[in-house]
Amino acid sequence: MAMILITHGLPGAGLEMLAGHQLIMPPPLTAFSRAEILSPIPKADAVIVGGLLDGEMIRRGRRLRVIANYGAGYDQVDVAEAAACGIPVTSIPEQVTAATAELALGLMLAVSRRIGEMNLRLRLEEPSALFGMGRNMGHGLAGQTLGILGLGRIGGAVARLGRALGMEVLGFSRHGVDPALAQPAPLEALVTKADVLSLHCPLTPQTRGLVDAAMLARMKPGAMLINTARGAIVDSDALADALEAGRLAGAGLDVFPDEPNVPQRLLRLPQCVLTPHMGANAAETREAMLRACCRQILDVLEGRRPKNIVNGL
């Protein structure tokens, strides 16, 4: 019987796949603190991690045989330290694709048609001041240019959704762009031509702070920024500056640099639609994610190589 440490109270069915093994997990909708992870991890054979797993935690996991990352992005796990300790780290990129792409599209629609702003105003203000032909105008997406920074699984799914809406889709990726998904464009052209710039790149030393004041200044006046990737890719203060000055029409953000904290300047802007890192937060997706992590752990425990090892082991 293996001991499996689960850092968060994960939603959805799937843990029955690990029947017969000892599971250490916090209550639903809660997470173990760092101290609560450090205590049991020396006895754990596997970890399902939904947040930070740093080098010290990994080094203490002397019995660890696999770290299953509950998500597509794994920047919160010290994958290099895990590799040095001989511990494979896995990811689950396929399961989160559709739900995250749908949320990105939802944010585009919410910003462009002012859905979030109008929903709030209709509840708080006198309705008769809001109804009327020509009032509270937004913009349609059909015929607009969608620029996608990062054409992996999620970026590719967003490209297909954008094309279905009649948008012209440009794409930039360090791995190349499939012309069947998007018209390849250099990063500079992508930034300057996009009416909607949607971020789908991983957080790396090269992408941290990539969308800074200089890049925002090069965006088309009246453009929108959508971020369902990682918060630290965007300089939040520079984005607030651009929105407050009216250079950008709006932004849709699902991620923030210091979660769960949300920059106060962005909270005050009605043209900024904000959601609490819920790209994969669909019931079907959460169940598929948990089952995928359990399957990876079972593969390792039963002597098989799991899918999607990200640290080269």
Side-chain angles (χ1 to χ4, degrees), residues 173-194:
S173 172
R174 59 193 174 93
H175 299 298
V177 172
D178 180 353
L181 289 175
Q183 178 183 336
L187 180 58
E188 183 66 22
L190 188 83
V191 170
T192 58
K193 292 182 179 181

Side-chain angles (χ1 to χ4, degrees), residues 22-282:
Q22 180 186 5
L23 305 183
I24 308 295
M25 183 175 70
L29 303 181
T30 67
F32 281 142
S33 67
R34 191 172 189 278
E36 289 170 327
I37 293 173
L38 285 170
S39 177
I41 202 170
K43 298 179 181 179
D45 297 282
V47 174
I48 298 178
V49 58
L52 177 69
L53 202 68
D54 61 29
E56 180 184 0
M57 296 172 174
I58 291 168
R59 288 190 294 274
R60 286 204 186 189
R62 293 180 289 273
R63 290 179 49 178
L64 284 178
R65 297 171 60 185
V66 62
I67 297 167
N69 181 64
Y70 181 75
Y74 46 87
D75 48 275
Q76 78 282 7
V77 177
D78 190 335
V79 295
E81 185 63 36
C85 294
I87 305 166
V89 177
T90 60
S91 173
I92 49 171
E94 296 96 341
Q95 286 73 23
V96 305
T97 297
T100 307
E102 288 168 1
L103 183 67
L105 179 63
L107 288 171
M108 290 181 210
L109 289 166
V111 175
S112 64
R113 296 302 305 272
R114 302 174 64 185
I115 294 171
E117 178 189 354
M118 291 302 112
N119 174 66
L120 183 61
R121 290 183 61 187
L122 198 58
R123 294 169 187 273
L124 299 178
E125 300 178 19
E126 172 55 47
S128 61
L130 298 174
F131 283 86
M133 191 178 301
R135 291 182 178 176
N136 308 310
M137 293 247 266
H139 294 278
L141 293 179
Q144 300 292 302
T145 298
L146 170 60
I148 300 180
L149 205 169
L151 258 292
R153 289 179 176 86
I154 297 172
V158 172
R160 286 187 285 271
L161 292 173
R163 289 164 66 96
L165 287 177
M167 302 183 79
E168 178 186 358
V169 182
L170 306 180
F172 172 83
S173 172
R174 59 193 174 93
H175 299 298
V177 172
D178 180 353
L181 289 175
Q183 178 183 336
L187 180 58
E188 183 66 22
L190 188 83
V191 170
T192 58
K193 292 182 179 181
D195 297 295
V196 181
L197 180 61
S198 192
L199 307 180
H200 301 285
C201 51
L203 180 62
T204 67
Q206 292 73 36
T207 63
R208 183 178 293 274
L210 174 66
V211 183
D212 57 8
M215 180 177 287
L216 292 166
R218 295 196 300 274
M219 289 179 66
K220 183 186 293 188
M224 300 183 302
L225 178 73
I226 306 296
N227 188 9
T228 55
R230 285 291 186 264
I233 295 170
V234 177
D235 182 329
S236 296
D237 282 329
L239 176 59
D241 288 341
L243 292 168
E244 289 170 355
R247 282 207 71 261
L248 299 184
L253 308 175
D254 185 49
V255 288
F256 308 93
D258 184 30
E259 296 174 4
N261 299 307
V262 179
Q264 289 296 312
R265 293 177 67 191
L266 297 178
L267 285 169
R268 291 193 292 265
L269 294 170
Q271 70 272 45
C272 196
V273 178
L274 310 174
T275 52
H277 203 148
M278 53 184 282
N281 216 21

